[in-house]
Amino acid sequence: MQSRRLTRRRRSVKGEVCTIDREQPVCITDSDSGTLVSEPLYHYVIVRGDIPFGDAMAQNTHASGESAVLAIRGVPEGTRAVVLEAENESEIERYSVKLTDRGILHVVIREPDAPFNGAAMAIGIPPLPRKRIGGVLRSLPLYGTSPRKGNSHV
């Protein structure tokens, strides 16, 4: 007899069957130990804080949508969404390099239209366990909590 909390079963990358439920949204194989672990996922987005609020929200939408498509398991119910604020384009580029160096899959959103003309606007990271990010994003504030230029919604 199955638990009522059980919502679906999937095979992990190594072929083990994982049970996914509402309280612990994912069961994954730990890349270091190869053992199955169950922990919540976090869907991180980093958005520039030096652009107008409406532009930032549009870029947030692009980054979250495009990074969700990269997720192997999709975005399970119970995934936590976290929007962080980068100071400017340079900081977006620096964090992209940090994520690449750590082997963390991500997408950089660039705005092709004027006045931005290809500038890096946001980063989307597919849902993953918080420990997989480590301390890479620790110094970034939550979006809107830092009084920065262009962030006029507060």
Side-chain angles (χ1 to χ4, degrees), residues 34-152:
T35 59
L36 290 177
V37 294
S38 180
E39 58 186 278
L41 296 181
Y42 290 81
H43 190 178
Y44 290 97
V45 172
I46 306 167
V47 181
R48 286 175 52 177
D50 65 339
I51 59 176
F53 181 69
D55 291 340
M57 292 305 94
Q59 301 307 324
N60 174 52
T61 303
H62 289 305
S64 59
E66 289 189 32
S67 60
V69 171
L70 298 175
I72 294 170
R73 293 173 292 276
V75 180
E77 188 174 327
T79 299
R80 284 121 170 135
V82 181
V83 182
L84 303 171
E85 184 176 322
E87 189 172 346
N88 52 35
E89 182 183 13
S90 296
E91 195 166 32
I92 292 284
E93 297 287 5
R94 279 195 306 276
Y95 275 93
S96 178
V97 169
K98 286 181 181 184
L99 292 165
T100 299
D101 289 348
R102 291 244 180 147
I104 298 170
L105 186 63
H106 64 284
V107 60
V108 174
I109 303 301
R110 296 185 181 278
E111 178 56 56
D113 300 326
F116 301 110
N117 301 319
M121 306 296 282
I123 293 174
I125 302 168
L128 45 77
R130 181 183 286 180
K131 75 177 185 178
R132 177 71 176 92
I133 288 286
V136 176
L137 307 178
R138 189 166 303 168
S139 64
L140 290 172
L142 289 172
Y143 184 84
T145 61
S146 175
R148 292 184 174 168
K149 190 176 169 182
N151 201 340
S152 59

